[in-house]
Amino acid sequence: MSASGHPGSSGTAHTLAELVRAQWDDHSPGGLRSTDLHLTHHATAAAAAARAALLTELLPSGAEPHVGLLLDNTPEYPLWLAATALAGATAVGLNPTRRGAELARDLTHTECALLVTETAHLPLLRALEEEGLALPRTLVTDDPGYAALLRPYEGAKPGESTVRTPAPDRRMLLTFTSGSTGAPKAVVVTQGRLAAAGHALARQFGVRREDVHYLCMPLFHGNAVIAGWAPALAGGAGVALARRFSATRFLDDVRAYGATYFTYVGRAVQYLLATPEQPDDTDNPLRLGFGTEAGPVDAARFSARFGVRLVEGYGSSEGGAALQHSEGAPRGAVGRPAPGTDLAVVDPATGEERPRARLGPDGRLRNGAEAIGELVNRGTSLFEGYWKNEAADADRTRDGWYWTGDLFFRDEDGWFHFAGRAEDRLRVDSENLAAAVIENILARCPGVTSAAVYAVPDPVSGDQVMAALALERPFDPGGFAAFLAAQPDLSTKAAPRFVRVLERMPVTATNKIERAALRRTGFRCDEPVWWTPYEGEARAGGTYRRLTADDIAGLLAGYRAHGREDLLGR
């Protein structure tokens, strides 16, 4: 049965609340599944209604109805998403990989009046309290007292308890994305936009009631909510959860849940391909994976090994621009513009459209210097703004266009190809990072007189973090790694993989660090470069070693194998 057959979600549901209420009359076994729970659609709606009733009782009078969710992918996460939808409240996705002042800023900036968390994340909150932050009322979902709080509301029905009327323009979600200014921005996603996205993807992929969407990407990220949870609701499919992504557990989960669809971002596909091959890899119920940054080489390898088609797309939580994959796309292309958009690749300084890219017989870009520019949407945008950040709104929508901040080129047949991140944005393993935040942390390191952080392309997809350090003493690789591991506010994705050691930073005539020059040379520079052969090694307490000519040769071979060598040196 297609998405149009789901009760109450025939394509006319204009809010997430309507999609949740449609589950009430559906007693089929789809619903919500985890390792220790299986709820029918009806039971899922009932559990969401109970939480909506509790929410309306606990929210302080006059406060913004913002509910912070600091949770792994436990059943409580989608239940609270559904509860906020029913209540006309707003769910705030909090990233548990953020630490200290960064996490405190996320909480206070979004004005969370209620916080839902679990025991595993209580140390993060205790650290904030020790620094003097007054936390909102906090519910700990695996504490015995939580069940007692919910018990009086177990008979609640969807729609009975609201703080604001659920409407298409009601703010449903605040999800963080990082920008070049350093401070993360909270993207506004309304009930109407999220419902529309769910319907669109359910139609595009023919979501059926017998489908099971496996949510292994974190639900604080827009990918899992917009591309995984919402289309499952719209199509009447079941939802199965992985607390955290695990490459070694992936197939076991998929088989146990009968999962037919999953979403991915960043290097998830590469982590799955790195697991040992088994003769029964194709023995799985999956029919589709949807996401970004797998890369054409590994998407083909994944399909051949697991018998599962991957569909690459481009979009953002902001909703300002989207590219849709379609049949016949050349190798490496992301897709063509989504209906209703007018996308172009332009010179970010002048706004003039860039020339079309010339690709050689091997598919490699021949005129990158003139063809690569920033992707903009000159037509209608679904961007609904950032929470209390007018400057960021204006920058994103200047001159009446939506500026993505991402670099693309467009080939002669009109296909769009992703080329990287603009300026000092970095995207590492699906997480957007800001150079300024990492630089401020590195500046604390003893002996560092100046630090610059910038992206170098990952051999497969996205970016890797490189830092240039000006030092007043010789570089101590073990000491530097220990310093990183001790920083409570350093994101788990932000430890530099490459460290370039300089006597002094290159600067412009106005004494600004000349980042463009640093990016151009990357790790192939005259100065010493230290690195961790495996991403995340330093953050886990490992160390750095000198980058050798053999190391560089091995890295370049990886770039060539994935068709990304042309991205180096820009």
Side-chain angles (χ1 to χ4, degrees):
M1 185 178 292
S2 69
S4 62
H6 181 49
S9 59
S10 60
T12 59
H14 301 300
T15 65
L16 252 293
E18 290 177 67
L19 292 177
V20 175
R21 288 198 296 268
Q23 293 185 308
W24 180 259
D25 296 320
D26 186 352
H27 293 268
S28 62
L32 181 62
R33 310 179 196 186
S34 70
T35 54
D36 54 2
L37 180 73
H38 184 180
L39 300 177
T40 65
H41 284 300
H42 171 80
T44 301
R51 285 153 180 80
L54 175 62
L55 182 162
T56 60
E57 291 292 329
L58 296 183
L59 280 174
S61 176
E64 288 287 351
H66 291 183
V67 181
L69 303 181
L70 185 64
L71 297 163
D72 292 335
N73 282 14
T74 67
E76 291 293 336
Y77 208 122
L79 290 176
W80 275 95
L81 285 174
T84 54
L86 291 173
T90 304
V92 180
L94 297 169
N95 183 344
T97 70
R98 289 171 65 77
R99 300 289 190 272
E102 288 190 347
L103 180 58
R105 186 264 176 192
D106 293 349
L107 271 168
T108 56
H109 172 64
T110 52
E111 303 177 38
C112 291
L114 182 66
L115 181 59
V116 182
T117 190
E118 56 188 306
T119 301
H121 299 314
L122 286 179
L124 298 177
L125 299 177
R126 292 193 189 103
L128 299 185
E129 287 186 302
E130 289 171 0
E131 292 297 320
L133 180 68
L135 295 175
R137 175 72 181 268
T138 301
L139 304 180
V140 183
T141 58
D142 52 350
D143 185 279
Y146 177 70
L149 272 177
L150 276 173
R151 197 166 294 117
Y153 306 100
E154 289 177 351
K157 296 180 180 179
E160 286 183 340
S161 300
T162 61
V163 291
R164 293 178 178 173
T165 302
D169 62 352
R170 179 68 63 213
R171 188 170 58 254
M172 158 71 198
L173 186 68
L174 292 179
T175 182
F176 282 102
T177 183
S178 294
S180 59
T181 59
K185 299 179 287 291
V187 181
V188 174
V189 183
T190 60
Q191 291 221 19
R193 179 154 76 89
L194 194 50
H199 285 305
L201 288 173
R203 288 191 296 268
Q204 180 180 350
F205 297 132
V207 176
R208 307 160 300 188
R209 294 187 66 190
E210 56 266 33
D211 280 324
V212 176
H213 288 203
Y214 179 54
L215 304 188
C216 54
M217 296 293 100
L219 279 158
F220 64 75
H221 194 283
N223 165 274
V225 176
I226 298 171
W229 182 65
L233 282 179
V239 167
L241 299 171
R243 172 179 279 272
R244 296 185 185 92
F245 173 75
S246 168
T248 56
R249 247 191 359 256
F250 179 85
L251 272 187
D252 288 341
D253 278 358
V254 162
R255 290 166 177 152
Y257 294 130
T260 57
Y261 172 99
F262 75 105
T263 66
Y264 61 89
V265 290
R267 297 181 62 84
V269 166
Q270 287 75 48
Y271 295 144
L272 290 168
L273 288 170
T275 60
E277 291 193 36
Q278 302 295 331
D280 62 346
D281 278 342
T282 58
D283 182 16
N284 67 76
L286 286 172
R287 65 182 181 89
L288 182 70
F290 175 59
T292 62
E293 301 180 37
V297 173
D298 287 336
R301 289 178 58 206
F302 191 91
S303 178
R305 176 174 166 183
F306 297 104
V308 180
R309 181 170 67 102
L310 297 185
V311 176
E312 291 268 294
Y314 171 84
S316 64
S317 299
E318 288 96 333
L323 292 165
Q324 290 184 347
H325 179 84
S326 57
E327 297 300 324
R331 185 174 180 269
V334 176
R336 296 188 186 276
T341 60
D342 178 15
L343 303 188
V345 176
V346 305
D347 182 330
T350 66
E352 295 181 2
E353 193 161 354
R354 290 289 201 182
R356 295 295 177 96
R358 297 193 304 274
L359 304 179
D362 57 359
R364 297 182 185 275
L365 179 62
R366 301 304 188 204
N367 63 332
E370 65 176 4
I372 292 176
E374 185 169 349
L375 183 69
V376 299
N377 182 3
R378 302 176 297 194
T380 302
S381 167
L382 297 178
F383 178 53
E384 297 171 312
Y386 297 111
W387 172 253
K388 293 193 174 180
N389 197 333
E390 293 181 1
D393 288 349
D395 181 65
R396 188 64 81 185
T397 58
R398 61 189 185 275
D399 301 322
W401 295 353
Y402 177 86
W403 297 74
T404 66
D406 291 328
L407 302 176
F408 274 78
F409 58 88
R410 191 178 191 181
D411 66 29
E412 293 172 332
D413 294 322
W415 296 96
F416 286 80
H417 302 244
F418 180 69
R421 305 288 161 179
E423 301 303 330
D424 61 343
R425 294 167 180 257
L426 303 88
R427 186 170 176 84
V428 179
D429 197 13
S430 84
E431 288 295 320
N432 289 324
L433 305 175
V437 172
I438 308 172
E439 288 168 358
N440 289 338
I441 295 172
L442 298 185
R444 306 174 194 153
C445 185
V448 172
T449 59
S450 182
V453 170
Y454 46 98
V456 293
D458 184 276
V460 177
S461 68
D463 303 321
Q464 293 181 355
V465 181
M466 185 163 184
L469 302 179
L471 303 173
E472 60 183 11
R473 64 183 71 166
F475 181 68
D476 175 7
F480 183 71
F483 164 81
L484 295 176
Q487 303 313 299
D489 55 346
L490 181 67
S491 167
T492 56
K493 310 291 186 182
R497 191 180 189 198
F498 299 94
V499 178
R500 178 179 179 175
V501 179
L502 302 164
E503 289 186 7
R504 63 182 60 87
M505 287 290 176
V507 296
T508 66
T510 56
N511 289 316
K512 294 181 179 179
I513 293 176
E514 198 171 6
R515 298 175 189 278
L518 294 172
R519 282 194 293 266
R520 276 197 300 272
T521 52
F523 51 77
R524 295 179 295 178
C525 54
D526 295 332
E527 294 85 2
V529 173
W530 300 75
W531 78 312
T532 57
Y534 302 100
E535 298 96 325
E537 181 179 275
R539 192 70 175 95
T543 188
Y544 288 81
R545 65 172 174 82
R546 281 289 295 269
L547 184 72
T548 67
D550 287 343
D551 292 331
I552 292 174
L555 285 166
L556 294 179
Y559 284 100
R560 283 193 293 272
H562 289 88
R564 287 173 64 86
E565 189 177 17
D566 57 295
L567 298 181
L568 293 170
R570 278 199 279 280

